């Protein structure tokens, strides 16, 4: 009598030749200026993974992961630091010396009262006093030649005072007064991205992000240098804000599943600042999320992200874990993963020429079936699991099917399975392979030697040990018919005890009368 074990059947798709890896992408948080708690970002599905909003984790504060925040603050505060050098000239000042570029000179205020009000506002040391003076100046002189400069000063002062709502409000006023104002558009882009990452009014902030980053890139192309700003300072401002605009547009495209544009924008941002994980990781996601996924660039990008994440941090650990899972799904094993990590660490964000990763191509079901029986003796085939028999008999070539069927046909088998349905008191539909058990799909028809007593009739989902003799099978959908069926015992029940031999009492001797 051949006894079989339960086994997880290899499905006909061939997928389970590899383990099921987690289908989640770690997401990268950032912080809103002035806040001290980590925000989380929901990134979209990842290349080889199939779907879903992905798992969150937090990245600790680090110089690189918080680089964008510092860049924005620097842009905001730069004007305030240089304000004294760009004080507007009163109307009586003589014209610039010959050869000077008029666009490098500060604007001229013709009204002495307006001039004094503006300079007085600039000279205030207390933030609240400066805010009041600048707001009063803008109210009294709404068409001043210094309106843009005053709004920039006001925006910067609200930032210094920690009033973020007013920072945003002033930035919007500034972008209305000066549609190509890079500082205002950069700040609005940055804060809209932060709000989306923090899951705050996502639809509206995503629409704002798309609008402001696009306007920002257009403003950079327009190349309209503000009066009074030196050319080298304007070039620096364009470079700093372009990084913010590309990162913002890339992030917006990623959230909208426009992976082609997400790749283009994020690649431009990463090329400009290769160490900013806030842009590197979304670039990896854009590669892996495309249809079809750009797995080679995506895996290289993940390996590079591991190299720039803070050493020993939770971020580095989880990105590396995700890299390993995606790599194994794509390549078929861990072989070569360490070399990819080392190459990305030494070569930087762009793969070296000729870099590639071989893709694992799973065998067809027929190839799997052939591999199961190839070179095995009849005795070895007898020891295969029912799931392996099922794969060969349903997907193998006629020759491979015969190798199994000739061994098990008309041989009584004992195995364990789940009852799917009792079609009568003499026939049961049973699932014997793990996959069929999970799907509640019968793969065995067991025909009993006689009616099952009502007391022993199994219910659906009951697990029983049973015996039967195979005499036929259907490849698709797979069904094996077993005759001479017997229920041996319910799972967990002890084997029935054999009755003990009766003991005879010795005859009692009667005393003679």
């Amino acid at each position: 009598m051949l006894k079989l074990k339960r086994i997880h059947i290899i499905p006909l798709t061939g997928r389970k030749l590899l383990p099921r890896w987690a289908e989640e992408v770690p997401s990268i948080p950032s912080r809103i200026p002035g806040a001290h708690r980590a925000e989380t970002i929901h990134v979209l599905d990842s290349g080889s993974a199939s779907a879903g909003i992905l798992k969150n984790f937090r990245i600790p504060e680090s110089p690189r992961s918080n680089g964008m925040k510092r860049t924005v603050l620097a842009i905001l505060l730069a004007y305030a630091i240089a304000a004294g050098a760009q004080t507007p000239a009163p109307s009586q000042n003589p014209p610039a010396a010959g050869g000077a570029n008029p666009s490098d000179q500060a604007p001229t205020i013709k009204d002495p009262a307006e001039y004094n009000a503006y300079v007085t506002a600039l000279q205030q040391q207390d933030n609240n006093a400066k805010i009041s003076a600048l707001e009063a100046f803008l109210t009294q002189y709404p068409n001043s030649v210094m309106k843009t400069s005053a709004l920039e000063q006001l925006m910067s002062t609200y930032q210094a005072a920690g009033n973020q709502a007013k920072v945003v409000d002033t930035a919007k006023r500034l972008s209305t007064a000066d549609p190509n104002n890079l500082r205002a558009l950069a700040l609005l882009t940055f804060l809209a991205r932060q709000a989306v990452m923090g899951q705050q009014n996502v639809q509206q902030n995503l629409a704002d992000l798309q609008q402001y980053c696009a306007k920002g890139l257009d403003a950079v192309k327009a190349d309209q240098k503000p009066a009074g700003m030196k050319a080298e300072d304007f070039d620096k401002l364009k470079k700093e804000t372009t990084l913010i605009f590309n990162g913002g547009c890339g992030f917006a495209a990623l959230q909208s599943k426009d992976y082609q544009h997400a790749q283009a924008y994020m690649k431009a941002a990463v090329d400009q600042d290769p160490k900013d994980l806030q842009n590197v990781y979304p670039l990896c996601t854009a590669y892996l999320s495309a249809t079809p996924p750009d797995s080679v660039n995506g895996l290289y990008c993940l390996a590079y992200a591991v190299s720039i994440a803070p050493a020993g941090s939770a971020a580095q650990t989880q990105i590396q874990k995700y890299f390993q899972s995606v790599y194994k799904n794509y390549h078929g094993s861990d072989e070569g993963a360490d070399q990819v990590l080392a190459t990305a660490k030494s070569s930087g964000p762009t793969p070296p020429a000729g870099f590639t990763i071989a893709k694992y191509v799973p065998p067809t079901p027929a190839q799997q079936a052939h591999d199961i029986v190839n070179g095995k003796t009849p005795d070895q085939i007898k020891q295969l699991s029912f799931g392996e028999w099922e794969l060969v008999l349903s997907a193998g070539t006629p020759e491979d099917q015969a190798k199994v069927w000739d061994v098990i046909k008309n041989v009584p088998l004992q195995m364990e399975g789940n009852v799917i349905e009792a079609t009568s008191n003499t026939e049961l539909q049973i699932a014997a392979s793990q996959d069929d058990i999970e799907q509640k799909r019968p793969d065995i028809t067991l025909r009993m030697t006689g009616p099952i007593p009502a007391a022993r009739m199994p219910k659906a989902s009951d697990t029983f040990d049973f015996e039967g003799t195979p005499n036929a099978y259907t490849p698709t959908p797979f069904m094996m018919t077993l005759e001479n069926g017997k229920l041996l015992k319910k799972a967990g029940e002890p084997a029935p005890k054999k009755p003990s031999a009766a003991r005879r009492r010795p005859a009692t001797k009667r005393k003679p009368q």
Side-chain angles (χ1 to χ4, degrees):
M1 188 72 64
L2 186 58
K3 295 186 178 181
L4 304 179
K5 58 183 179 180
R6 286 174 61 179
I7 191 169
H8 204 308
I9 184 173
I10 304 173
L12 302 187
T13 59
R15 286 183 178 173
K16 283 190 187 173
L17 290 179
L18 293 179
R20 292 175 178 171
W21 293 93
E23 309 233 317
E24 296 182 327
V25 180
S27 57
I28 297 191
S30 185
R31 292 170 173 79
I32 295 176
H36 299 286
R37 65 183 182 86
E39 300 291 344
T40 54
I41 162 180
H42 292 278
V43 188
L44 299 173
D45 42 351
S46 70
S48 61
S50 42
I53 295 297
L54 307 171
K55 185 177 180 181
N56 300 321
F57 74 93
R58 299 172 188 272
I59 284 188
E61 187 79 24
S62 72
R64 285 298 180 183
S65 67
N66 210 21
M68 187 183 290
K69 171 184 171 182
R70 295 199 323 276
T71 300
V72 173
L73 293 178
I75 291 170
L76 284 175
L77 298 177
Y79 187 87
I81 295 172
Q86 296 185 12
T87 301
S91 61
Q92 63 268 33
N93 274 9
N101 187 348
S103 68
D104 290 342
Q105 300 177 25
T108 298
I109 297 179
K110 297 180 179 180
D111 182 353
E114 180 183 345
Y115 174 84
N116 290 332
Y118 183 73
V119 172
T120 299
L122 289 186
Q123 292 174 345
Q124 297 298 319
Q125 300 299 311
D126 178 74
N127 286 332
N128 291 329
K130 189 172 184 178
I131 288 170
S132 297
L134 287 169
E135 290 283 19
F137 172 81
L138 290 166
T139 300
Q140 188 172 359
Y141 303 102
N143 299 316
S144 172
V145 295
M146 300 306 296
K147 180 176 182 178
T148 295
S149 297
L151 284 169
E152 286 183 333
Q153 282 290 321
L154 184 61
M155 184 173 66
S156 178
T157 307
Y158 274 128
Q159 173 67 41
N163 191 336
Q164 185 166 303
K166 282 293 187 181
V167 172
V168 175
D169 177 69
T170 308
K172 291 180 178 179
R173 291 163 63 187
L174 179 53
S175 66
T176 300
D178 180 9
N180 286 329
N181 190 280
L182 295 178
R183 290 190 179 93
L185 292 170
L187 183 136
L188 290 170
T189 297
F190 174 77
L191 292 181
R193 177 175 176 175
Q194 294 293 304
V196 174
M197 292 168 72
Q199 296 295 291
Q200 302 169 13
N201 194 7
V202 173
Q203 294 303 318
Q204 181 59 54
N205 281 303
L206 182 58
D208 289 345
L209 175 59
Q210 293 167 329
Q211 172 190 354
Y212 293 134
C213 74
K215 285 184 176 180
L217 290 174
D218 287 343
V220 171
K221 293 177 183 178
D223 199 26
Q224 295 178 359
K225 183 177 72 66
M229 178 177 281
K230 295 180 179 180
E232 57 267 29
D233 291 338
F234 184 54
D235 288 341
K236 183 179 179 180
L237 179 63
K238 286 190 296 181
K239 182 178 180 180
E240 291 172 337
T241 54
T242 297
L243 174 62
I244 296 169
F245 298 141
N246 276 323
C249 282
F251 183 81
L254 182 63
Q255 297 301 312
S256 300
K257 299 188 178 182
D258 181 359
Y259 302 120
Q260 182 177 358
H261 285 99
Q263 291 173 25
Y265 287 123
M266 283 300 183
K267 183 67 166 60
V270 171
D271 286 344
Q272 185 174 342
D273 184 359
K275 298 292 186 179
D276 190 349
L277 194 59
Q278 298 295 328
N279 289 328
V280 171
Y281 188 82
L283 175 60
C284 307
T285 304
Y287 283 136
L288 294 172
S289 301
T291 304
D294 186 349
S295 298
V296 172
N297 278 321
L299 282 165
Y300 184 90
C301 182
L302 284 177
Y304 176 70
V306 171
S307 73
I308 65 170
S313 66
Q316 186 182 57
T317 299
Q318 294 189 45
I319 294 173
Q320 182 161 352
K321 182 179 179 181
Y322 179 60
F323 163 79
Q324 296 286 356
S325 72
V326 177
Y327 182 91
K328 190 166 186 177
N329 263 343
Y330 181 78
H331 183 64
S333 72
D334 292 327
E335 183 181 2
D338 290 343
Q339 288 88 331
V340 174
L341 289 167
T343 300
K345 185 175 183 180
S346 61
S347 299
T350 302
F355 176 83
T356 190
I357 300 171
K359 183 178 182 180
Y360 168 75
V361 179
T364 65
Q367 289 172 328
Q368 295 179 51
H370 180 72
D371 291 340
I372 288 173
V373 298
N374 187 35
K376 288 186 172 61
T377 66
D379 284 342
Q380 290 173 325
I381 290 175
K382 286 181 181 179
Q383 300 306 315
L384 295 176
S385 69
F386 181 81
E388 290 169 312
W389 288 347
E390 180 175 335
L391 178 59
V392 175
L393 293 174
S394 60
T397 64
E399 293 79 7
D400 289 333
Q401 291 183 30
K403 289 180 181 180
V404 170
W405 190 239
D406 290 347
V407 168
I408 66 174
K409 183 180 180 181
N410 298 324
V411 176
L413 306 176
Q414 289 185 357
M415 64 184 83
E416 181 184 88
N418 278 26
V419 176
I420 303 300
E421 181 185 7
T423 55
S424 71
N425 64 356
T426 60
E427 184 176 287
L428 299 177
Q429 298 283 304
I430 295 175
S433 72
Q434 187 64 38
D435 280 1
D436 288 338
I437 289 172
E438 291 175 359
Q439 298 296 322
K440 300 185 182 303
R441 179 177 56 211
D443 48 32
I444 288 177
T445 297
L446 181 64
R447 293 173 179 168
M448 313 304 294
T449 55
I452 303 171
R456 295 206 65 199
M457 178 63 71
K459 300 176 182 177
S461 298
D462 280 352
T463 301
F464 271 87
D465 286 353
F466 61 91
E467 179 182 318
T469 302
N471 73 341
Y473 73 93
T474 303
T476 306
F478 183 80
M479 178 63 69
M480 183 182 291
T481 302
L482 277 62
E483 300 286 353
N484 302 320
K486 299 177 184 177
L487 295 181
L488 302 179
K489 69 182 183 70
K490 191 172 182 179
E493 289 182 348
K497 294 182 179 180
K498 294 181 179 180
S500 58
R503 296 182 62 186
R504 298 180 62 184
R505 295 180 61 187
T508 303
K509 293 183 179 180
R510 301 181 63 181
K511 292 182 179 181
Q513 297 287 325

